[in-house]
Structures are given as structure tokens and as C-alpha cells.
């Protein structure tokens, strides 16, 4: 069993706690879950194990707007993306590295899966679990491997992999 797999999600919005919990059960091989904000109304911190979350524009519980942590020697910084329009200018997320050194930056807000590899950092938006805005419209999540640094995106309903263009800088 590879314990280096991390489930990355965002913008689950109206999905209830039990629905999220059922979704998480599909990933027993994942050591950690990262949520990039806009979780269900009424969410309280510590409702899930090995769970990192930042505050989205629709979250009303006290959560950090930017959160940094390390998993398997990989440094992560997560933010929802609504502050400073980060989500709509993903390159601007690299300015976070000044105050939050990271190997991977995760964000949400746009509901559209995205990733970009730079020489210093990987930027990931897993899309939305509930309200996908991509075309075709899909609810998506991502799996990240801390050993290989590979990122894969999937359709929540079909479990089919979604191939995104790698944006190199």
C-alpha cells in the first residue's frame, strides 16, 4: 500500500458531512485529505482525520485563509484563491512562496481543475466536488503522489481520469 497518495478536493459546498465521509471511504490508500475551502455549511474543525482545510469565501467557521504544512517531506500551502484574485491568475500564487515556502500550492474557488509545474513549485486546483464549471461540466478531484510528484485528476461520478494540459513555466 502506497501511503504517499493525497486526496485533494475543493468546493464541496452543499455536499453533507455524511456524503463527504462516504466519498472519502473510496480512498483508503490516501494518507491525507486536503480541502481547498468552501466545505458544507455547519462544518466544524476536526470532523475528519488527517484533514487539512483553509477558509473559502463561503465558509463561516474560523479557519486559516492560508495554511502551510508538510506531508512526506513535501511542503504544501493551501488557500481558497478568492483573496487577491489568486484563483483567476494562478501564476500570482507563486508570490505566496515568499512567506509560505512550498513545493505544492493548492487552491480552489474557480471550480475548474488546473495544474501548472514551475521549476520551483506545482500549483494544483482540484476543481469542485459539487459544482464543476469545466466543459464538459464535471465534478472533479485530484490525487497527488508525494514520492513521484505525479498529479492525476478524476471525474467524481465516473472515476474516469481527466487529462489536463500541463502548463509549464
Amino acid at each position: 500500500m502506497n501511503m504517499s497518495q493525497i486526496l485533494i478536493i475543493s468546493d464541496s459546498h452543499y455536499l453533507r458531512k455524511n456524503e463527504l465521509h462516504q466519498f472519502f471511504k473510496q480512498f483508503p490508500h490516501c494518507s491525507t485529505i486536503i480541502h481547498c475551502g468552501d466545505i458544507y455549511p455547519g462544518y466544524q474543525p476536526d470532523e475528519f482525520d488527517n484533514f487539512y482545510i483553509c477558509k473559502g469565501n463561503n465558509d463561516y467557521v474560523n479557519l486559516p485563509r492560508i495554511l502551510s504544512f508538510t506531508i512526506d517531506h513535501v511542503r504544501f500551502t493551501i488557500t481558497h484563491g478568492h483573496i487577491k484574485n489568486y484563483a483567476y491568475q494562478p501564476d500570482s500564487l507563486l508570490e505566496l512562496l515568499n512567506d509560505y515556502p512550498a513545493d505544492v500550492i493548492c487552491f480552489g474557488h474557480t471550480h475548474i481543475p488546473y495544474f501548472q509545474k514551475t521549476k520551483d513549485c506545482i500549483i494544483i486546483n482540484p476543481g469542485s466536488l459539487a459544482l464543476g464549471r469545466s466543459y464538459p461540466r464535471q465534478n472533479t478531484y485530484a490525487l497527488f503522489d508525494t514520492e513521484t510528484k505525479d498529479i492525476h485528476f478524476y471525474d467524481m461520478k465516473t472515476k474516469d481520469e481527466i487529462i489536463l494540459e500541463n502548463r509549464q513555466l
Side-chain angles (χ1 to χ4, degrees), residues 17-74:
K17 179 182 177 180
N18 64 329
E19 292 173 299
L20 267 186
H21 190 69
Q22 288 302 318
F23 176 72
F24 296 162
K25 283 184 176 180
Q26 299 173 57
F27 305 94
H29 59 287
C30 289
S31 60
T32 305
I33 301 165
I34 293 173
H35 194 302
C36 299
D38 280 0
I39 197 168
Y40 55 85
Y43 168 79
Q44 293 300 312
D46 302 322
E47 289 186 343
F48 303 106
D49 294 330
N50 302 314
F51 190 74
Y52 295 90
I53 185 170
C54 60
K55 186 178 185 101
N57 58 304
N58 291 297
D59 291 322
Y60 300 101
V61 67
N62 187 20
L63 294 169
R65 290 200 182 278
I66 300 171
L67 182 64
S68 290
F69 48 91
T70 300
I71 302 168
D72 294 341
H73 308 291
V74 177

